[in-house]
Amino acid sequence: MREEEIDRIVLEMLGQVAPEAPLGGIVANLPFRDQFEFDSVDFLSFILKLESQTGLKISEMDYPRLASLAGCRSYLNRA
């Protein structure tokens, strides 16, 4: 997957889970929870939506790798 496609998917899924999040100003290396209200339930919903959108099965052990935009880029680039 290309970085632009990954960004589009990640931002779209974040927007569905946290519609009030300031998605235009996301800092790639900062965890989502440090940038806007994003609790563990939101994060799990995000992971499930990401799985559905990408067709990937994401291991629970990999969840921490998806806590930021940069982490999502790295993980999904390798998938």
Side-chain angles (χ1 to χ4, degrees):
M1 238 185 272
R2 293 181 25 200
E3 189 171 294
E4 296 83 20
E5 183 180 6
I6 291 169
D7 286 2
R8 181 190 59 75
I9 291 169
V10 168
L11 293 176
E12 183 179 321
M13 298 304 102
L14 285 172
Q16 290 180 17
V17 173
E20 73 290 342
L23 300 179
I26 286 190
V27 178
N29 293 321
L30 271 177
F32 300 131
R33 64 180 168 78
D34 291 345
Q35 297 186 64
F36 50 88
E37 302 250 348
F38 202 66
D39 62 24
S40 58
V41 173
D42 293 332
F43 184 69
L44 182 56
S45 294
F46 167 69
I47 295 293
L48 295 174
K49 287 183 177 297
L50 206 54
E51 284 182 328
S52 175
Q53 184 70 25
T54 62
L56 298 173
K57 175 64 180 142
I58 300 171
S59 167
E60 193 172 332
M61 293 181 65
D62 290 333
Y63 287 5
R65 296 173 59 193
L66 300 165
S68 69
L69 181 57
C72 289
R73 287 173 179 164
S74 176
Y75 185 87
L76 295 173
N77 252 336
R78 294 187 181 127

